[in-house]
Amino acid sequence: MKKRILTGWLALGLASGVLVACADSASINQQAASSYRQEMGRIQSQGGVDTSSPTAIRINKVFKRMVPYADKMNHTGQAFNWQMTVIKSKELNAWAMPGGKMAFYTGLVERLNLNDDEIATVMGHEMAHALKEHGKAKANFSTFSSIASGLGGAALSVVVGADVTSLVNLTADFALDKPYSRSAETEADEEGLMLMAAAGYNPQVAPGLWDKMQQAGGGQGALSALLSTHPSDAARRENLQRLLPQAMNIYQAASKADL
C-alpha cells in the first residue's frame, strides 16, 4: 500500500478509516499570516487601523518591549514574526493568532482606562496563547471533529486549506468565536504573568485587571466570548495571587537589570 505524503502535514489514520490531516506549526503559522495580512490590509483600506493616536503609540510601545521576552519563551520550534495591529474600535477586545499575529482594539484601553502594566497583562496573556500553540490545537481539533462528523475533506479548506482567504475563517477557529478551554486560559494566565514580569511590567495589577474586564464584559459581545470560558473570578484571582511571589521575583530582577 502506497503511503500518502502530505507536505507540511501529519497524516493520522482513524479507526473509522478516515484520514485526518493535522496541521503542523509551520503550516498553521503560514496560513494565519496569510489571512492576517489580507484582512488587516482590508481594514487599513477602510481607515480602521490606528497607527498614530496616543493609544496606538502606547500599545505598540508595550508590544515592542515584550516581543524579545516572548521570543525567549518560544519553544514551538518555529520563529515567530510578531506583528501588532491596533484597530480603531469601541470593542473591548484583543487577540493573537498562531505565529504571533496580534490585534489590540482601542476601546479596550480607552474604555477601561488601562495603564501600561494592564496593557501588558492582556498582551502577555494573548502572546501566551500563541506561544503555547492553543490555536494550533483548536485548528486540529476542529479538523478532526468536522471530518469525523462526516463533512469530509471540504472541512480542511475551512480550517487551514488553500481556500482560507479571510481572517473571518481563521478567527472562527483561532481567536474569538470559539474561546479556548479553561485549562488553556489558565495556562495563558500563568505564562502571560511571567512574560509581562520579565519585560519589566508590574504583575501585581493582573488579578484586579481580569476582575475589571470580567465586570465590563457582561453583554459586551466579543469580550463576553473572549471571557466566557475563562476560570471563574475567584479561581483566577486565587491562582494569580498564588503565582505573584514568583512573578514579582522576575519583575524585580528585570527592574534591577534596567538600572
Side-chain angles (χ1 to χ4, degrees), residues 16-257:
S16 61
V18 178
L19 187 67
V20 176
C22 288
D24 61 18
S25 297
S27 300
I28 287 283
N29 293 355
Q30 184 178 11
Q31 291 293 339
S34 176
S35 291
Y36 178 87
R37 182 170 57 253
Q38 292 178 44
E39 185 64 9
M40 293 305 101
R42 183 188 66 81
I43 293 174
Q44 185 172 24
S45 71
Q46 297 175 351
V49 174
D50 185 349
T51 60
S52 59
S53 74
T55 297
I57 290 171
R58 286 177 58 214
I59 291 170
N60 280 300
K61 182 180 178 181
V62 173
F63 172 70
K64 290 176 182 177
R65 180 168 162 180
M66 292 185 70
V67 163
Y69 299 92
D71 283 337
K72 291 178 182 179
M73 297 173 71
N74 185 353
H75 303 297
T76 67
Q78 297 292 323
F80 282 13
N81 178 19
W82 293 95
Q83 289 180 266
M84 170 62 72
T85 300
V86 179
I87 297 175
K88 299 176 186 177
S89 173
K90 292 183 179 180
E91 283 190 52
L92 305 176
N93 199 19
W95 47 260
M97 293 168 69
K101 308 307 182 187
M102 301 184 66
F104 224 94
Y105 293 55
T106 55
L108 183 59
V109 176
E110 294 168 356
R111 291 175 60 189
L112 297 185
N113 194 28
L114 301 187
N115 61 33
D116 287 0
D117 292 321
E118 291 171 323
I119 292 173
T121 301
V122 178
M123 198 169 294
H125 177 93
E126 298 304 331
M127 284 178 157
H129 276 309
L131 291 168
K132 304 305 289 186
E133 297 195 288
H134 294 152
K136 173 185 173 183
K138 276 202 299 184
N140 283 332
F141 180 78
S142 297
T143 304
F144 176 90
S145 299
S146 297
I147 294 180
S149 297
L151 296 182
L156 292 177
S157 67
V158 176
V159 181
V160 288
D163 292 336
V164 176
T165 57
S166 171
L167 185 65
V168 174
N169 290 327
L170 280 178
T171 55
D173 292 293
F174 296 143
L176 306 178
D177 295 342
K178 296 178 183 177
Y180 296 109
S181 67
R182 290 196 176 191
S183 62
E185 292 298 343
T186 297
E187 188 173 41
D189 274 358
E190 296 173 355
E191 189 93 350
L193 189 71
M194 303 308 164
L195 173 53
M196 68 176 294
Y201 291 102
N202 190 346
Q204 289 177 310
V205 306
L209 171 65
W210 288 115
D211 286 347
K212 182 179 178 181
M213 288 182 65
Q214 187 75 53
Q215 292 165 7
Q220 292 291 335
L223 187 65
S224 293
L226 181 71
L227 296 173
S228 63
T229 57
H230 282 52
S232 68
D233 290 349
R236 172 172 242 162
R237 175 177 282 279
E238 181 179 349
N239 190 46
L240 289 171
Q241 290 287 357
R242 176 181 65 83
L243 293 170
L244 267 183
Q246 180 184 351
M248 285 302 296
N249 286 338
I250 295 173
Y251 169 65
Q252 289 164 359
S255 300
K256 289 179 180 178

